[in-house]
Amino acid sequence: MDLWSYKGKRCVVVGCYSGIGEATARELVRLGGEVHGFDVKPSPVDLASFTTCDLRKRDDIDAALAGIAGPIDALFYCAGLPQTFPGIEVVQVNFLSVRYLIERALPKMQRGGAIAIIASTAGNGYVMRLPTVLEIADTPDYDAGLAWAESHLPELGDPYAFAKEAVIVWALRRSQTLIADGIRLNLLSPGPTVSGMTKDFEAVSSPAIIDVYTAPINRRSSSAEQAYPLIFLNSDGASYVNGTNFIADGGFTSGMQFGMIDLDGMLQKAISA
């Protein structure tokens, strides 16, 4: 048995037009997977099928999933919106629609299936406001979550960071129940990555400030470098990996944990420059 092969596996990649999602879809095809893609723009990858899907619209999500015969062996949620979009749309695509799509896809999955979600190191702060994050994570459905977000957005700060916090907390907790059905659920939290959203992130912050968060490796990741661990998480080689938030940030998070990165000093230097 080839633990790294996706031959004979039906894969769904949500967000396959560019960036990490496009790199993920391309590598899955190379590994023999039957790859189906959802996105607002057609993917450049030669997929088994592609469905136009606006993740802000539940009807689009339902229609896209209805077009997949099943079973789905591996589901990759790679889509996201940056802070240049309205805050409520950022929360929708980066959390509410993640939860909605995954829950709707579960009837098409069976034991041995796996789900991997792209989160972000921007969501690392969930531990600092866990009670607030749990409020939206525990909302019973999409409408309730949307109403909660609409009423709390002004006090949440960066909607991108908050949505990533919410998806991390929801997924880590949901993994505890899904595994009883033989379905694994994990997340990947990339550090600064060159992708289709790079210009958006740089417009909100600046290239110099973003590069601070590349320490200690001191370079940004390529999209492919994030696709590889994401693909591993849904592979047979990760059959005992469940409920983890795999951080692929070149060592930044661990450096912060042990006080080996002077974040304040580096930020001040970047701002001054």
Side-chain angles (χ1 to χ4, degrees):
M1 178 181 180
D2 186 346
L3 296 176
W4 318 116
S5 173
Y6 274 78
K7 187 175 182 180
K9 290 191 175 185
R10 182 173 290 115
C11 307
V12 173
V13 179
V14 183
C16 56
Y17 164 68
S18 65
I20 300 171
E22 184 269 334
T24 297
R26 190 175 299 281
E27 181 64 11
L28 286 170
V29 170
R30 192 188 71 80
L31 291 169
E34 177 192 312
V35 186
H36 302 266
F38 304 164
D39 210 322
V40 291
K41 296 180 180 179
S43 175
V45 182
D46 185 15
L47 303 172
S49 77
F50 173 80
T51 304
T52 301
C53 179
D54 185 338
L55 292 163
R56 295 165 293 187
K57 301 176 181 178
R58 280 171 281 176
D59 286 348
D60 274 22
I61 295 173
D62 291 340
L65 286 172
I68 305 298
I72 297 172
D73 298 298
L75 174 60
F76 299 83
Y77 194 102
C78 304
L81 286 182
Q83 303 95 320
T84 49
F85 284 77
I88 194 62
E89 295 182 10
V90 174
V91 174
Q92 281 181 282
V93 173
N94 295 355
F95 170 58
L96 293 174
S97 293
V98 184
R99 182 176 68 172
Y100 182 84
L101 187 149
I102 289 173
E103 295 293 349
R104 289 299 181 108
L106 287 176
K108 293 178 180 288
M109 302 188 75
Q110 55 191 0
R111 297 191 72 86
I115 303 165
I117 303 167
I118 294 181
S120 172
T121 52
N124 281 355
Y126 74 86
V127 294
M128 304 299 293
R129 52 175 175 181
L130 186 56
T132 301
V133 178
L134 283 171
E135 287 184 22
I136 189 170
D138 285 341
T139 52
D141 53 38
Y142 198 106
D143 287 328
L146 191 62
W148 188 97
E150 289 173 334
S151 64
H152 288 79
L153 269 179
E155 65 198 58
L156 294 177
D158 179 4
Y160 180 85
F162 182 78
K164 293 300 185 179
E165 292 170 10
V167 79
I168 290 170
V169 169
W170 173 79
L172 292 180
R173 297 173 78 220
R174 187 68 172 98
S175 70
Q176 304 303 299
T177 53
L178 276 182
I179 197 62
D181 297 320
I183 298 172
R184 298 184 298 106
L185 173 58
N186 293 288
L187 307 109
L188 174 78
S189 281
T193 301
V194 178
S195 73
M197 294 195 292
T198 296
K199 290 183 178 179
D200 296 274
F201 290 135
E202 291 182 347
V204 172
S205 184
S206 76
I209 289 177
I210 291 172
D211 285 341
V212 166
Y213 295 89
T214 67
I217 200 168
N218 294 324
R219 67 172 179 83
R220 300 187 193 187
S221 168
S222 70
S223 291
E225 287 176 303
Q226 299 296 333
Y228 301 145
L230 188 72
I231 290 169
F232 164 73
L233 289 173
N234 274 356
S235 74
D236 291 331
S239 58
Y240 202 71
V241 180
N242 180 59
T244 187
N245 178 28
F246 188 103
I247 297 175
D249 68 352
F252 178 82
T253 298
S254 56
M256 286 293 295
Q257 288 175 335
F258 292 98
M260 300 175 73
I261 292 175
D262 178 15
L263 181 60
D264 290 340
M266 294 169 67
L267 286 172
Q268 194 60 46
K269 184 177 179 180
I271 292 169
S272 298

